[in-house]
Structures are given as structure tokens and as C-alpha cells.
């Protein structure tokens, strides 16, 4: 038992620092006028609602906390519920970044990067409290989007197995991975269906691209682990939301229709570029390696699928202002940020072996292009810190 403590210590540090970072902003989010109030009310009155939807995972967690600690105020129970789904994300990120870095990046930097990743924001010139027009990897005010982010990295790693020969091993292991993937897809869609709406077409497009290039695709895992459970849940959501309600809402196609309602057309490509500076910098600086990197390529395609939905689909009627087709791009761009950071660390480790002679915390250096990409990451982090400050102090 005591032998495990040194290995657990870095994760406990990440967990503690994450709690310190998240607590002020989520206390503000749960107490202020945000989407939390609507979802708390929905959870407390779920049995009497007439507009039932399937994305009820946050509501379920909230009610669990409320039942085991009924003395807590509703906002405090909501705070506990949202922290339960937020805190594992930097732990997952740290574990994967640590594996990618080896000894090439000091542990203190990896801990900082794992936490920084979860508060990144677009590089903002024009802004408001909801970051309209940008695709933000983090939005504090919406509990269902925050809950869905818990599943983004695990789903992407499971999806990567679709394209890796031999990744799923024996028949029993293939069955296990398929059932696990289907379960995580179901949970992610129960959290919020928007990321599933981007994940499924993104994986299918990547599979088709690989098929054309005569590369490996595990069609059984794609179909049974992702497409069937995802399509089932999205179909049920559609029936409950659009076919059963009387408000006249529906899905419509219109290029930039929703965006142009809120911001001038000329700002849309600028705000998209400012949302993507770090991934674009990594892609441009390491293009030859990046285009051959399976995970990064898959994540780019998932993001592009989410962006296509965000810019071309909208809801008619009472739900128009909700912008529900934009939410998938938020978690997709978080995934792209993570994949770009992971790729950058892998390239740094590779460059260390060839050029740096094995670096330690006492002599940490990076190549020129890694430094440029890191500067782009820093700009996103500074914008994230500014957004965090605005949210806490003036929401």
C-alpha cells in the first residue's frame, strides 16, 4: 500500500490544484443566473415535466447528491455534482500527457498543462459572458456541456481502436471493448447529445477516408460500439424533443443563419481562427508528421464535423436562441486542443532524443517550432484566465 503512495502523489496534487481552480468559478456558476438554475429545477420536478429529454445525467448526479445530503442547499448540491464530473478530466489528461512525455518534460510542467488545458478559451477580441461567435473548449454556465466533457477523451481513445489493427486482441477482448464503447456512448449522450452528434459522423468520415486509402477499419466496433447506440440515443432525443412537443420547434438548414443572428458575418471566420490558433499552429509547424498522426487526424475530422453542424444547422421556433447545434463544437474543440497538446509533447520527446540529449527539470529546452506552438497555447491560456476572471467577478 505504502509503495503506491509515491505514484499516487502527482495525481493527488493535480486533483487538489484542480479543486482550487474550479471551486470559485463553479460556485459562481451554480449561484448566479445561468443554465444551472433551469437544470436544477428540471431535476427537482422531473416527474411532472411535459418536455422530457434524455440528457439527464447531470440531473441524476444532482439528485443523488441531494438524496444523500438533503441538508445541502440546492446550489451546493449542484456544485458538488458538477465537481464530481469536472475533477476526473485533468487527471485523465495528466496520465496521458505523462505517458507521452516520458522523461522529456518535467512532472511539474505536465501537471500545470493538464489543469491549464481545462480552462483554455478562444483568443478573445470581442466577447460577452457567453463567448458568442467563438468555439470555446470550456463554458462554465452550462452543466450538461460540462458533464459531457467527462466522456470526450475516453470516447476518443476508444474510437481510435477502430483504426488500429490488433488493438482489440482476442474475441473476448473485442466483445469487451465493443460493450464498453457502447456504454460510454450511451452515457455521453445521456449527458448531452451534441458531442455524439459530432463523434459519429466524424468517425464515419475518417473510416471512409481510410477505406479509400485501403487502410484498416474495424467495422464491427464502429457499427456496434458507436453508430448503433449513438444513433438510437440521438433518434430517441429527436422524437422526444421535436415530435412530441407542441412548440413548433424543428431542425432547419441555413448556412451561418444562427451565427449571423448574433454577430456580423465578417467576424465569423476571424472568431473561428481565434478559437483554433493553437491547433492550427501545431498543424502548420508539424504538418508532415501531423497529417500521418492517426489520433490528431481523427480529432480534426471530429471537430470539422461539429463545425459543419454548428455553421449549417439551427432550430426553428422556440428553441432558436438555444444554439444547440453549437454545443458539439465546444467539446470537439476541447478534444482537438488535447490531441494537439498530446501530439506536441510527443514531438518534443522525439526531438529531445535526437537533438537535446535527454532533458530533465534542471535543463528543460524546446525547439523553435515547439516554442512557437507553446506561445499559441499560452495565448489561449491567458484568454482562459481572463474569461475565468470575468465570469467570477462580473457575470
Amino acid at each position: 500500500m505504502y509503495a503506491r503512495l509515491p505514484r499516487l502523489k502527482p495525481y493527488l496534487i493535480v486533483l487538489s490544484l484542480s479543486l482550487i481552480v474550479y471551486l470559485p468559478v463553479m460556485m459562481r456558476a451554480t449561484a448566479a443566473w445561468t443554465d444551472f438554475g433551469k437544470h436544477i429545477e428540471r431535476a427537482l420536478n422531473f416527474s411532472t415535466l411535459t418536455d422530457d429529454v434524455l440528457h439527464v445525467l447531470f440531473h441524476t448526479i444532482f439528485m443523488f447528491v441531494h438524496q444523500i445530503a438533503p441538508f445541502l442547499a440546492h446550489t451546493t448540491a449542484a456544485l458538488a455534482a458538477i465537481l464530481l464530473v469536472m475533477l476526473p478530466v485533468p487527471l485523465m489528461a495528466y496520465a496521458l500527457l505523462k505517458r507521452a512525455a516520458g522523461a522529456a518534460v518535467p512532472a511539474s510542467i505536465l501537471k500545470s498543462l493538464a489543469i491549464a488545458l481545462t480552462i483554455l478559451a478562444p483568443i478573445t477580441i470581442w466577447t460577452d459572458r457567453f463567448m458568442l461567435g467563438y468555439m470555446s473548449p470550456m463554458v462554465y454556465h452550462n452543466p450538461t456541456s460540462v458533464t459531457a466533457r467527462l466522456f470526450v477523451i475516453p470516447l476518443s481513445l476508444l474510437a481510435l481502436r477502430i483504426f488500429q489493427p490488433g488493438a482489440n486482441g482476442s474475441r473476448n477482448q473485442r466483445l469487451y471493448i465493443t460493450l464498453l464503447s457502447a456504454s460510454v456512448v450511451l452515457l455521453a449522450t445521456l449527458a448531452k447529445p451534441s458531442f455524439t452528434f459530432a463523434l459519429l459522423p466524424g468517425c464515419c468520415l475518417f473510416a471512409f477516408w481510410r477505406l479509400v486509402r485501403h487502410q484498416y477499419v474495424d467495422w464491427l466496433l464502429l457499427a456496434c460500439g458507436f453508430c448503433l447506440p449513438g444513433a438510437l440515443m440521438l433518434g430517441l432525443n429527436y422524437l422526444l424533443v421535436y415530435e412530441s412537443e407542441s412548440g413548433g420547434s424543428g431542425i432547419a438548414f441555413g448556412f451561418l443563419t444562427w451565427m449571423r443572428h448574433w454577430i456580423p458575418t465578417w467576424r465569423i471566420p476571424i472568431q473561428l481562427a481565434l478559437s483554433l490558433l493553437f491547433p492550427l499552429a501545431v498543424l502548420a509547424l508539424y504538418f508532415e508528421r501531423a497529417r500521418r498522426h492517426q489520433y490528431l487526424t481523427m480529432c480534426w475530422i471530429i471537430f470539422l464535423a461539429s463545425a459543419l453542424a454548428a455553421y449549417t444547422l439551427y432550430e426553428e421556433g422556440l428553441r432558436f436562441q438555444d444554439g444547440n447545434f453549437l454545443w458539439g463544437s465546444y467539446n470537439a474543440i476541447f478534444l482537438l486542443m488535447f490531441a494537439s497538446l498530446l501530439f506536441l509533447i510527443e514531438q518534443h520527446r522525439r526531438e529531445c532524443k535526437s537533438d537535446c540529449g535527454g532533458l530533465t527539470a534542471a535543463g528543460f529546452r524546446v525547439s523553435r517550432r515547439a516554442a512557437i506552438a507553446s506561445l499559441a497555447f499560452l495565448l489561449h491560456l491567458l484568454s482562459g484566465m481572463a474569461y475565468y476572471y470575468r465570469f467570477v467577478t462580473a457575470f
Side-chain angles (χ1 to χ4, degrees), residues 56-72:
V56 294
L57 187 58
F58 168 76
H59 311 78
T60 304
I61 299 171
F62 165 78
M63 288 305 297
F64 173 76
V65 175
H66 180 60
Q67 291 296 321
I68 64 172
F71 53 87
L72 293 178

Side-chain angles (χ1 to χ4, degrees), residues 5-18 87 90-96 98-99 111:
L5 290 179
R7 287 183 291 176
L8 290 176
K9 183 178 178 181
Y11 295 93
L12 294 175
I13 292 173
V14 172
L15 183 66
S16 301
L17 292 175
S18 300
L87 291 172
L91 295 176
M92 289 187 288
Y94 172 71
L96 293 166
K98 186 173 182 292
R99 186 176 68 179
K111 296 184 187 79

Side-chain angles (χ1 to χ4, degrees), residues 5-184:
L5 290 179
R7 287 183 291 176
L8 290 176
K9 183 178 178 181
Y11 295 93
L12 294 175
I13 292 173
V14 172
L15 183 66
S16 301
L17 292 175
S18 300
L19 182 61
I20 292 170
V21 170
Y22 298 155
L23 196 57
V25 72
M26 299 318 296
M27 286 178 65
R28 181 65 168 165
T30 53
W33 183 86
T34 65
D35 290 0
F36 274 89
K38 177 179 70 176
H39 287 286
I40 291 171
E41 184 179 357
R42 175 180 291 275
L44 293 170
N45 301 289
F46 192 77
S47 61
T48 62
L49 291 177
T50 58
D51 58 338
D52 292 345
V53 293
L54 287 181
H55 51 283
V56 294
L57 187 58
F58 168 76
H59 311 78
T60 304
I61 299 171
F62 165 78
M63 288 305 297
F64 173 76
V65 175
H66 180 60
Q67 291 296 321
I68 64 172
F71 53 87
L72 293 178
H74 292 159
T75 53
T76 305
L79 175 64
I82 205 66
L83 289 175
L84 285 174
V85 298
M86 290 182 73
L87 291 172
V89 178
L91 295 176
M92 289 187 288
Y94 172 71
L96 293 166
L97 294 176
K98 186 173 182 292
R99 186 176 68 179
V105 181
S108 57
I109 294 179
L110 293 175
K111 296 184 187 79
S112 301
L113 288 174
I115 299 170
L117 177 73
T118 63
I119 62 169
L120 296 181
I123 299 167
T124 50
I125 298 177
W126 313 274
T127 188
D128 56 39
R129 62 185 182 181
F130 295 125
M131 308 280 280
L132 290 176
Y134 297 100
M135 292 185 177
S136 178
M138 181 57 189
V139 286
Y140 298 112
H141 69 276
N142 186 271
T144 54
S145 181
V146 175
T147 303
R149 196 173 68 160
L150 173 64
F151 304 100
V152 168
I153 292 176
L155 270 178
S156 69
L157 297 177
L158 289 167
L160 187 62
R161 288 176 169 267
I162 298 170
F163 312 108
Q164 292 181 321
N168 301 318
S170 65
R171 179 181 299 178
N172 288 340
Q173 187 176 2
R174 283 170 58 85
L175 178 62
Y176 167 75
I177 294 298
T178 302
L179 292 175
L180 177 62
S181 300
S183 300
V184 180

Side-chain angles (χ1 to χ4, degrees), residues 255-272:
F255 185 61
L256 302 181
T257 299
W258 192 87
M259 285 286 186
R260 287 185 296 186
H261 180 77
W262 302 102
I263 62 174
T265 304
W266 63 269
R267 272 175 41 184
I268 295 173
I270 299 173
Q271 291 186 247
L272 175 61

Side-chain angles (χ1 to χ4, degrees), residues 350-361:
R350 178 176 178 177
E351 290 166 351
C352 281
K353 289 181 179 179
S354 59
D355 301 328
C356 304
L359 298 180
T360 64

Side-chain angles (χ1 to χ4, degrees), residues 323-341:
N324 283 321
F325 287 103
L326 188 64
W327 290 108
S329 67
Y330 289 0
N331 280 321
I333 204 169
F334 169 74
L335 174 61
L336 184 57
M337 290 285 188
F338 168 73
S340 299
L341 180 60

